[in-house]
PDB file of all heavy atoms in Angstrom:
ATOM      1  N   TYR A1266      28.462 -51.407 -13.969  1.00  0.00           N
ATOM      2  CA  TYR A1266      28.482 -51.418 -15.427  1.00  0.00           C
ATOM      3  C   TYR A1266      29.165 -50.163 -15.939  1.00  0.00           C
ATOM      4  O   TYR A1266      29.205 -49.147 -15.260  1.00  0.00           O
ATOM      5  CB  TYR A1266      27.059 -51.470 -15.997  1.00  0.00           C
ATOM      6  CG  TYR A1266      26.341 -52.765 -15.747  1.00  0.00           C
ATOM      7  CD1 TYR A1266      25.634 -52.979 -14.573  1.00  0.00           C
ATOM      8  CD2 TYR A1266      26.373 -53.784 -16.690  1.00  0.00           C
ATOM      9  CE1 TYR A1266      24.971 -54.173 -14.336  1.00  0.00           C
ATOM     10  CE2 TYR A1266      25.715 -54.977 -16.463  1.00  0.00           C
ATOM     11  CZ  TYR A1266      25.014 -55.169 -15.292  1.00  0.00           C
ATOM     12  OH  TYR A1266      24.379 -56.350 -15.066  1.00  0.00           O
ATOM     13  N   GLU A1267      29.699 -50.238 -17.137  1.00  0.00           N
ATOM     14  CA  GLU A1267      30.210 -49.055 -17.838  1.00  0.00           C
ATOM     15  C   GLU A1267      29.263 -48.773 -18.987  1.00  0.00           C
ATOM     16  O   GLU A1267      28.875 -49.692 -19.709  1.00  0.00           O
ATOM     17  CB  GLU A1267      31.612 -49.306 -18.389  1.00  0.00           C
ATOM     18  CG  GLU A1267      32.684 -49.477 -17.332  1.00  0.00           C
ATOM     19  CD  GLU A1267      34.048 -49.708 -17.953  1.00  0.00           C
ATOM     20  OE1 GLU A1267      34.332 -50.872 -18.261  1.00  0.00           O
ATOM     21  OE2 GLU A1267      34.783 -48.729 -18.136  1.00  0.00           O
ATOM     22  N   VAL A1268      28.887 -47.520 -19.146  1.00  0.00           N
ATOM     23  CA  VAL A1268      27.952 -47.134 -20.199  1.00  0.00           C
ATOM     24  C   VAL A1268      28.660 -46.166 -21.138  1.00  0.00           C
ATOM     25  O   VAL A1268      29.219 -45.164 -20.702  1.00  0.00           O
ATOM     26  CB  VAL A1268      26.689 -46.474 -19.600  1.00  0.00           C
ATOM     27  CG1 VAL A1268      25.738 -46.058 -20.707  1.00  0.00           C
ATOM     28  CG2 VAL A1268      26.008 -47.417 -18.621  1.00  0.00           C
ATOM     29  N   PHE A1269      28.634 -46.494 -22.430  1.00  0.00           N
ATOM     30  CA  PHE A1269      29.261 -45.662 -23.454  1.00  0.00           C
ATOM     31  C   PHE A1269      28.192 -45.232 -24.448  1.00  0.00           C
ATOM     32  O   PHE A1269      27.330 -46.024 -24.824  1.00  0.00           O
ATOM     33  CB  PHE A1269      30.348 -46.448 -24.200  1.00  0.00           C
ATOM     34  CG  PHE A1269      31.465 -46.925 -23.316  1.00  0.00           C
ATOM     35  CD1 PHE A1269      31.413 -48.174 -22.715  1.00  0.00           C
ATOM     36  CD2 PHE A1269      32.566 -46.132 -23.079  1.00  0.00           C
ATOM     37  CE1 PHE A1269      32.442 -48.631 -21.903  1.00  0.00           C
ATOM     38  CE2 PHE A1269      33.597 -46.567 -22.260  1.00  0.00           C
ATOM     39  CZ  PHE A1269      33.536 -47.823 -21.677  1.00  0.00           C
ATOM     40  N   VAL A1270      28.268 -43.975 -24.887  1.00  0.00           N
ATOM     41  CA  VAL A1270      27.301 -43.433 -25.835  1.00  0.00           C
ATOM     42  C   VAL A1270      27.997 -43.161 -27.161  1.00  0.00           C
ATOM     43  O   VAL A1270      29.124 -42.669 -27.203  1.00  0.00           O
ATOM     44  CB  VAL A1270      26.665 -42.136 -25.285  1.00  0.00           C
ATOM     45  CG1 VAL A1270      25.673 -41.555 -26.273  1.00  0.00           C
ATOM     46  CG2 VAL A1270      25.991 -42.408 -23.950  1.00  0.00           C
ATOM     47  N   ASP A1271      27.289 -43.505 -28.240  1.00  0.00           N
ATOM     48  CA  ASP A1271      27.769 -43.363 -29.615  1.00  0.00           C
ATOM     49  C   ASP A1271      29.080 -44.132 -29.806  1.00  0.00           C
ATOM     50  O   ASP A1271      29.125 -45.311 -29.498  1.00  0.00           O
ATOM     51  CB  ASP A1271      27.881 -41.891 -30.015  1.00  0.00           C
ATOM     52  CG  ASP A1271      26.496 -41.227 -30.122  1.00  0.00           C
ATOM     53  OD1 ASP A1271      25.527 -41.938 -30.446  1.00  0.00           O
ATOM     54  OD2 ASP A1271      26.397 -40.021 -29.882  1.00  0.00           O
ATOM     55  N   ASP A1272      30.146 -43.483 -30.280  1.00  0.00           N
ATOM     56  CA  ASP A1272      31.384 -44.215 -30.581  1.00  0.00           C
ATOM     57  C   ASP A1272      32.407 -44.134 -29.440  1.00  0.00           C
ATOM     58  O   ASP A1272      33.575 -44.436 -29.624  1.00  0.00           O
ATOM     59  CB  ASP A1272      32.004 -43.720 -31.882  1.00  0.00           C
ATOM     60  CG  ASP A1272      32.446 -42.274 -31.816  1.00  0.00           C
ATOM     61  OD1 ASP A1272      32.008 -41.562 -30.891  1.00  0.00           O
ATOM     62  OD2 ASP A1272      33.227 -41.858 -32.677  1.00  0.00           O
ATOM     63  N   ALA A1273      31.956 -43.776 -28.227  1.00  0.00           N
ATOM     64  CA  ALA A1273      32.874 -43.645 -27.087  1.00  0.00           C
ATOM     65  C   ALA A1273      33.542 -44.973 -26.739  1.00  0.00           C
ATOM     66  O   ALA A1273      34.711 -44.996 -26.345  1.00  0.00           O
ATOM     67  CB  ALA A1273      32.131 -43.104 -25.872  1.00  0.00           C
ATOM     68  N   TYR A1274      32.837 -46.095 -26.897  1.00  0.00           N
ATOM     69  CA  TYR A1274      33.419 -47.400 -26.574  1.00  0.00           C
ATOM     70  C   TYR A1274      34.562 -47.733 -27.530  1.00  0.00           C
ATOM     71  O   TYR A1274      35.622 -48.185 -27.107  1.00  0.00           O
ATOM     72  CB  TYR A1274      32.348 -48.493 -26.622  1.00  0.00           C
ATOM     73  CG  TYR A1274      32.878 -49.868 -26.298  1.00  0.00           C
ATOM     74  CD1 TYR A1274      33.393 -50.147 -25.033  1.00  0.00           C
ATOM     75  CD2 TYR A1274      32.868 -50.883 -27.242  1.00  0.00           C
ATOM     76  CE1 TYR A1274      33.884 -51.401 -24.725  1.00  0.00           C
ATOM     77  CE2 TYR A1274      33.351 -52.141 -26.938  1.00  0.00           C
ATOM     78  CZ  TYR A1274      33.855 -52.396 -25.678  1.00  0.00           C
ATOM     79  OH  TYR A1274      34.342 -53.641 -25.384  1.00  0.00           O
ATOM     80  N   GLU A1275      34.374 -47.475 -28.815  1.00  0.00           N
ATOM     81  CA  GLU A1275      35.431 -47.731 -29.799  1.00  0.00           C
ATOM     82  C   GLU A1275      36.647 -46.852 -29.522  1.00  0.00           C
ATOM     83  O   GLU A1275      37.781 -47.302 -29.622  1.00  0.00           O
ATOM     84  CB  GLU A1275      34.925 -47.513 -31.227  1.00  0.00           C
ATOM     85  CG  GLU A1275      34.006 -48.611 -31.737  1.00  0.00           C
ATOM     86  CD  GLU A1275      32.592 -48.522 -31.191  1.00  0.00           C
ATOM     87  OE1 GLU A1275      32.201 -47.454 -30.676  1.00  0.00           O
ATOM     88  OE2 GLU A1275      31.886 -49.540 -31.254  1.00  0.00           O
ATOM     89  N   LYS A1276      36.404 -45.590 -29.164  1.00  0.00           N
ATOM     90  CA  LYS A1276      37.510 -44.690 -28.831  1.00  0.00           C
ATOM     91  C   LYS A1276      38.260 -45.175 -27.596  1.00  0.00           C
ATOM     92  O   LYS A1276      39.485 -45.119 -27.555  1.00  0.00           O
ATOM     93  CB  LYS A1276      36.984 -43.264 -28.606  1.00  0.00           C
ATOM     94  CG  LYS A1276      36.534 -42.574 -29.866  1.00  0.00           C
ATOM     95  CD  LYS A1276      36.018 -41.181 -29.569  1.00  0.00           C
ATOM     96  CE  LYS A1276      35.533 -40.485 -30.818  1.00  0.00           C
ATOM     97  NZ  LYS A1276      34.988 -39.159 -30.525  1.00  0.00           N
ATOM     98  N   GLU A1277      37.536 -45.655 -26.596  1.00  0.00           N
ATOM     99  CA  GLU A1277      38.148 -46.170 -25.368  1.00  0.00           C
ATOM    100  C   GLU A1277      39.018 -47.396 -25.663  1.00  0.00           C
ATOM    101  O   GLU A1277      40.135 -47.507 -25.169  1.00  0.00           O
ATOM    102  CB  GLU A1277      37.049 -46.539 -24.361  1.00  0.00           C
ATOM    103  CG  GLU A1277      37.546 -47.098 -23.061  1.00  0.00           C
ATOM    104  CD  GLU A1277      38.057 -46.052 -22.099  1.00  0.00           C
ATOM    105  OE1 GLU A1277      37.830 -44.850 -22.345  1.00  0.00           O
ATOM    106  OE2 GLU A1277      38.679 -46.425 -21.102  1.00  0.00           O
ATOM    107  N   LYS A1278      38.494 -48.307 -26.486  1.00  0.00           N
ATOM    108  CA  LYS A1278      39.275 -49.500 -26.852  1.00  0.00           C
ATOM    109  C   LYS A1278      40.535 -49.110 -27.614  1.00  0.00           C
ATOM    110  O   LYS A1278      41.614 -49.656 -27.362  1.00  0.00           O
ATOM    111  CB  LYS A1278      38.435 -50.455 -27.715  1.00  0.00           C
ATOM    112  CG  LYS A1278      37.430 -51.235 -26.934  1.00  0.00           C
ATOM    113  CD  LYS A1278      36.776 -52.388 -27.669  1.00  0.00           C
ATOM    114  CE  LYS A1278      36.585 -52.211 -29.127  1.00  0.00           C
ATOM    115  NZ  LYS A1278      35.848 -53.302 -29.775  1.00  0.00           N
ATOM    116  N   LYS A1279      40.414 -48.146 -28.527  1.00  0.00           N
ATOM    117  CA  LYS A1279      41.571 -47.699 -29.310  1.00  0.00           C
ATOM    118  C   LYS A1279      42.618 -47.073 -28.392  1.00  0.00           C
ATOM    119  O   LYS A1279      43.817 -47.342 -28.522  1.00  0.00           O
ATOM    120  CB  LYS A1279      41.126 -46.692 -30.367  1.00  0.00           C
ATOM    121  CG  LYS A1279      42.226 -46.231 -31.271  1.00  0.00           C
ATOM    122  CD  LYS A1279      41.717 -45.267 -32.334  1.00  0.00           C
ATOM    123  CE  LYS A1279      42.822 -44.797 -33.223  1.00  0.00           C
ATOM    124  NZ  LYS A1279      42.359 -43.845 -34.235  1.00  0.00           N
ATOM    125  N   LEU A1280      42.183 -46.260 -27.441  1.00  0.00           N
ATOM    126  CA  LEU A1280      43.096 -45.618 -26.495  1.00  0.00           C
ATOM    127  C   LEU A1280      43.809 -46.664 -25.636  1.00  0.00           C
ATOM    128  O   LEU A1280      45.018 -46.567 -25.419  1.00  0.00           O
ATOM    129  CB  LEU A1280      42.329 -44.643 -25.616  1.00  0.00           C
ATOM    130  CG  LEU A1280      43.142 -43.834 -24.610  1.00  0.00           C
ATOM    131  CD1 LEU A1280      44.160 -42.953 -25.336  1.00  0.00           C
ATOM    132  CD2 LEU A1280      42.219 -42.968 -23.774  1.00  0.00           C
ATOM    133  N   LYS A1281      43.084 -47.688 -25.173  1.00  0.00           N
ATOM    134  CA  LYS A1281      43.698 -48.749 -24.375  1.00  0.00           C
ATOM    135  C   LYS A1281      44.742 -49.505 -25.184  1.00  0.00           C
ATOM    136  O   LYS A1281      45.813 -49.821 -24.685  1.00  0.00           O
ATOM    137  CB  LYS A1281      42.630 -49.711 -23.858  1.00  0.00           C
ATOM    138  CG  LYS A1281      41.852 -49.175 -22.697  1.00  0.00           C
ATOM    139  CD  LYS A1281      40.846 -50.188 -22.176  1.00  0.00           C
ATOM    140  CE  LYS A1281      40.052 -49.617 -21.024  1.00  0.00           C
ATOM    141  NZ  LYS A1281      39.074 -50.577 -20.500  1.00  0.00           N
ATOM    142  N   ARG A1282      44.421 -49.806 -26.467  1.00  0.00           N
ATOM    143  CA  ARG A1282      45.388 -50.498 -27.322  1.00  0.00           C
ATOM    144  C   ARG A1282      46.633 -49.657 -27.527  1.00  0.00           C
ATOM    145  O   ARG A1282      47.752 -50.165 -27.501  1.00  0.00           O
ATOM    146  CB  ARG A1282      44.754 -50.838 -28.677  1.00  0.00           C
ATOM    147  CG  ARG A1282      43.912 -52.080 -28.672  1.00  0.00           C
ATOM    148  CD  ARG A1282      43.599 -52.559 -30.070  1.00  0.00           C
ATOM    149  NE  ARG A1282      43.077 -51.527 -30.946  1.00  0.00           N
ATOM    150  CZ  ARG A1282      41.786 -51.295 -31.164  1.00  0.00           C
ATOM    151  NH1 ARG A1282      40.880 -52.022 -30.572  1.00  0.00           N
ATOM    152  NH2 ARG A1282      41.404 -50.344 -31.979  1.00  0.00           N
ATOM    153  N   MET A1283      46.467 -48.352 -27.717  1.00  0.00           N
ATOM    154  CA  MET A1283      47.611 -47.464 -27.909  1.00  0.00           C
ATOM    155  C   MET A1283      48.468 -47.423 -26.649  1.00  0.00           C
ATOM    156  O   MET A1283      49.693 -47.465 -26.732  1.00  0.00           O
ATOM    157  CB  MET A1283      47.132 -46.058 -28.285  1.00  0.00           C
ATOM    158  CG  MET A1283      46.580 -45.966 -29.680  1.00  0.00           C
ATOM    159  SD  MET A1283      45.809 -44.371 -30.065  1.00  0.00           S
ATOM    160  CE  MET A1283      47.084 -43.223 -29.647  1.00  0.00           C
ATOM    161  N   ASN A1284      47.832 -47.360 -25.476  1.00  0.00           N
ATOM    162  CA  ASN A1284      48.570 -47.330 -24.209  1.00  0.00           C
ATOM    163  C   ASN A1284      49.324 -48.629 -23.987  1.00  0.00           C
ATOM    164  O   ASN A1284      50.470 -48.619 -23.542  1.00  0.00           O
ATOM    165  CB  ASN A1284      47.627 -47.069 -23.036  1.00  0.00           C
ATOM    166  CG  ASN A1284      47.175 -45.629 -22.968  1.00  0.00           C
ATOM    167  OD1 ASN A1284      47.809 -44.748 -23.535  1.00  0.00           O
ATOM    168  ND2 ASN A1284      46.074 -45.388 -22.301  1.00  0.00           N
ATOM    169  N   GLU A1285      48.688 -49.770 -24.292  1.00  0.00           N
ATOM    170  CA  GLU A1285      49.359 -51.055 -24.135  1.00  0.00           C
ATOM    171  C   GLU A1285      50.540 -51.163 -25.085  1.00  0.00           C
ATOM    172  O   GLU A1285      51.597 -51.664 -24.727  1.00  0.00           O
ATOM    173  CB  GLU A1285      48.373 -52.198 -24.383  1.00  0.00           C
ATOM    174  CG  GLU A1285      47.353 -52.355 -23.280  1.00  0.00           C
ATOM    175  CD  GLU A1285      46.240 -53.318 -23.636  1.00  0.00           C
ATOM    176  OE1 GLU A1285      46.261 -53.899 -24.738  1.00  0.00           O
ATOM    177  OE2 GLU A1285      45.339 -53.487 -22.799  1.00  0.00           O
ATOM    178  N   SER A1286      50.371 -50.662 -26.294  1.00  0.00           N
ATOM    179  CA  SER A1286      51.443 -50.693 -27.280  1.00  0.00           C
ATOM    180  C   SER A1286      52.614 -49.824 -26.819  1.00  0.00           C
ATOM    181  O   SER A1286      53.770 -50.227 -26.900  1.00  0.00           O
ATOM    182  CB  SER A1286      50.927 -50.201 -28.632  1.00  0.00           C
ATOM    183  OG  SER A1286      51.969 -50.133 -29.559  1.00  0.00           O
ATOM    184  N   ALA A1287      52.309 -48.641 -26.311  1.00  0.00           N
ATOM    185  CA  ALA A1287      53.361 -47.740 -25.832  1.00  0.00           C
ATOM    186  C   ALA A1287      54.069 -48.346 -24.626  1.00  0.00           C
ATOM    187  O   ALA A1287      55.289 -48.248 -24.509  1.00  0.00           O
ATOM    188  CB  ALA A1287      52.758 -46.382 -25.470  1.00  0.00           C
ATOM    189  N   PHE A1288      53.320 -49.002 -23.734  1.00  0.00           N
ATOM    190  CA  PHE A1288      53.925 -49.627 -22.567  1.00  0.00           C
ATOM    191  C   PHE A1288      54.881 -50.737 -22.994  1.00  0.00           C
ATOM    192  O   PHE A1288      55.982 -50.847 -22.477  1.00  0.00           O
ATOM    193  CB  PHE A1288      52.843 -50.195 -21.644  1.00  0.00           C
ATOM    194  CG  PHE A1288      53.410 -50.901 -20.451  1.00  0.00           C
ATOM    195  CD1 PHE A1288      53.976 -50.183 -19.414  1.00  0.00           C
ATOM    196  CD2 PHE A1288      53.391 -52.281 -20.372  1.00  0.00           C
ATOM    197  CE1 PHE A1288      54.507 -50.827 -18.302  1.00  0.00           C
ATOM    198  CE2 PHE A1288      53.915 -52.942 -19.278  1.00  0.00           C
ATOM    199  CZ  PHE A1288      54.474 -52.208 -18.243  1.00  0.00           C
ATOM    200  N   GLY A1289      54.477 -51.539 -23.968  1.00  0.00           N
ATOM    201  CA  GLY A1289      55.334 -52.612 -24.471  1.00  0.00           C
ATOM    202  C   GLY A1289      56.600 -52.061 -25.095  1.00  0.00           C
ATOM    203  O   GLY A1289      57.693 -52.591 -24.898  1.00  0.00           O
ATOM    204  N   TRP A1290      56.470 -50.971 -25.834  1.00  0.00           N
ATOM    205  CA  TRP A1290      57.614 -50.354 -26.514  1.00  0.00           C
ATOM    206  C   TRP A1290      58.599 -49.804 -25.490  1.00  0.00           C
ATOM    207  O   TRP A1290      59.803 -50.038 -25.577  1.00  0.00           O
ATOM    208  CB  TRP A1290      57.094 -49.250 -27.430  1.00  0.00           C
ATOM    209  CG  TRP A1290      58.145 -48.535 -28.191  1.00  0.00           C
ATOM    210  CD1 TRP A1290      58.823 -48.989 -29.278  1.00  0.00           C
ATOM    211  CD2 TRP A1290      58.651 -47.225 -27.930  1.00  0.00           C
ATOM    212  NE1 TRP A1290      59.715 -48.039 -29.710  1.00  0.00           N
ATOM    213  CE2 TRP A1290      59.633 -46.942 -28.900  1.00  0.00           C
ATOM    214  CE3 TRP A1290      58.364 -46.266 -26.973  1.00  0.00           C
ATOM    215  CZ2 TRP A1290      60.318 -45.742 -28.933  1.00  0.00           C
ATOM    216  CZ3 TRP A1290      59.052 -45.072 -27.019  1.00  0.00           C
ATOM    217  CH2 TRP A1290      60.016 -44.830 -27.996  1.00  0.00           C
ATOM    218  N   THR A1291      58.099 -49.080 -24.477  1.00  0.00           N
ATOM    219  CA  THR A1291      58.992 -48.508 -23.476  1.00  0.00           C
ATOM    220  C   THR A1291      59.618 -49.589 -22.600  1.00  0.00           C
ATOM    221  O   THR A1291      60.771 -49.475 -22.206  1.00  0.00           O
ATOM    222  CB  THR A1291      58.268 -47.483 -22.581  1.00  0.00           C
ATOM    223  OG1 THR A1291      57.101 -48.080 -22.033  1.00  0.00           O
ATOM    224  CG2 THR A1291      57.892 -46.240 -23.348  1.00  0.00           C
ATOM    225  N   THR A1292      58.867 -50.626 -22.314  1.00  0.00           N
ATOM    226  CA  THR A1292      59.420 -51.741 -21.538  1.00  0.00           C
ATOM    227  C   THR A1292      60.560 -52.395 -22.296  1.00  0.00           C
ATOM    228  O   THR A1292      61.603 -52.725 -21.720  1.00  0.00           O
ATOM    229  CB  THR A1292      58.321 -52.777 -21.233  1.00  0.00           C
ATOM    230  OG1 THR A1292      57.272 -52.134 -20.516  1.00  0.00           O
ATOM    231  CG2 THR A1292      58.862 -53.938 -20.416  1.00  0.00           C
ATOM    232  N   SER A1293      60.377 -52.569 -23.593  1.00  0.00           N
ATOM    233  CA  SER A1293      61.411 -53.172 -24.425  1.00  0.00           C
ATOM    234  C   SER A1293      62.680 -52.327 -24.414  1.00  0.00           C
ATOM    235  O   SER A1293      63.795 -52.853 -24.304  1.00  0.00           O
ATOM    236  CB  SER A1293      60.890 -53.317 -25.861  1.00  0.00           C
ATOM    237  OG  SER A1293      61.878 -53.830 -26.697  1.00  0.00           O
ATOM    238  N   ILE A1294      62.540 -51.022 -24.510  1.00  0.00           N
ATOM    239  CA  ILE A1294      63.698 -50.130 -24.485  1.00  0.00           C
ATOM    240  C   ILE A1294      64.398 -50.212 -23.131  1.00  0.00           C
ATOM    241  O   ILE A1294      65.625 -50.302 -23.061  1.00  0.00           O
ATOM    242  CB  ILE A1294      63.277 -48.678 -24.793  1.00  0.00           C
ATOM    243  CG1 ILE A1294      62.923 -48.551 -26.273  1.00  0.00           C
ATOM    244  CG2 ILE A1294      64.374 -47.696 -24.436  1.00  0.00           C
ATOM    245  CD1 ILE A1294      62.394 -47.211 -26.660  1.00  0.00           C
ATOM    246  N   CYS A1295      63.616 -50.204 -22.048  1.00  0.00           N
ATOM    247  CA  CYS A1295      64.211 -50.284 -20.701  1.00  0.00           C
ATOM    248  C   CYS A1295      64.986 -51.580 -20.514  1.00  0.00           C
ATOM    249  O   CYS A1295      66.088 -51.573 -19.971  1.00  0.00           O
ATOM    250  CB  CYS A1295      63.124 -50.163 -19.636  1.00  0.00           C
ATOM    251  SG  CYS A1295      62.431 -48.507 -19.513  1.00  0.00           S
ATOM    252  N   VAL A1296      64.441 -52.681 -20.981  1.00  0.00           N
ATOM    253  CA  VAL A1296      65.125 -53.965 -20.864  1.00  0.00           C
ATOM    254  C   VAL A1296      66.423 -53.934 -21.658  1.00  0.00           C
ATOM    255  O   VAL A1296      67.465 -54.412 -21.197  1.00  0.00           O
ATOM    256  CB  VAL A1296      64.206 -55.122 -21.330  1.00  0.00           C
ATOM    257  CG1 VAL A1296      64.977 -56.415 -21.506  1.00  0.00           C
ATOM    258  CG2 VAL A1296      63.063 -55.310 -20.343  1.00  0.00           C
ATOM    259  N   SER A1297      66.390 -53.358 -22.852  1.00  0.00           N
ATOM    260  CA  SER A1297      67.596 -53.270 -23.675  1.00  0.00           C
ATOM    261  C   SER A1297      68.679 -52.423 -23.002  1.00  0.00           C
ATOM    262  O   SER A1297      69.855 -52.781 -23.008  1.00  0.00           O
ATOM    263  CB  SER A1297      67.262 -52.671 -25.043  1.00  0.00           C
ATOM    264  OG  SER A1297      66.379 -53.503 -25.737  1.00  0.00           O
ATOM    265  N   VAL A1298      68.279 -51.302 -22.422  1.00  0.00           N
ATOM    266  CA  VAL A1298      69.236 -50.419 -21.759  1.00  0.00           C
ATOM    267  C   VAL A1298      69.843 -51.108 -20.543  1.00  0.00           C
ATOM    268  O   VAL A1298      71.069 -51.081 -20.351  1.00  0.00           O
ATOM    269  CB  VAL A1298      68.558 -49.088 -21.356  1.00  0.00           C
ATOM    270  CG1 VAL A1298      69.436 -48.274 -20.425  1.00  0.00           C
ATOM    271  CG2 VAL A1298      68.202 -48.275 -22.592  1.00  0.00           C
ATOM    272  N   VAL A1299      69.021 -51.750 -19.744  1.00  0.00           N
ATOM    273  CA  VAL A1299      69.524 -52.455 -18.557  1.00  0.00           C
ATOM    274  C   VAL A1299      70.470 -53.580 -18.975  1.00  0.00           C
ATOM    275  O   VAL A1299      71.535 -53.767 -18.369  1.00  0.00           O
ATOM    276  CB  VAL A1299      68.356 -52.994 -17.701  1.00  0.00           C
ATOM    277  CG1 VAL A1299      68.846 -53.962 -16.636  1.00  0.00           C
ATOM    278  CG2 VAL A1299      67.588 -51.843 -17.069  1.00  0.00           C
TER     279      VAL A1299
END
Side-chain angles (χ1 to χ4, degrees):
Y1266 292 86
E1267 293 181 275
V1268 179
F1269 299 91
V1270 179
D1271 292 330
D1272 64 344
Y1274 180 64
E1275 286 77 17
K1276 289 179 181 178
E1277 179 79 12
K1278 284 192 328 185
K1279 183 178 179 181
L1280 183 62
K1281 283 183 181 180
R1282 278 194 310 265
M1283 288 172 53
N1284 285 340
E1285 289 170 1
S1286 176
F1288 178 73
W1290 180 75
T1291 53
T1292 302
S1293 177
I1294 288 175
C1295 289
V1296 168
S1297 297
V1298 168
V1299 168

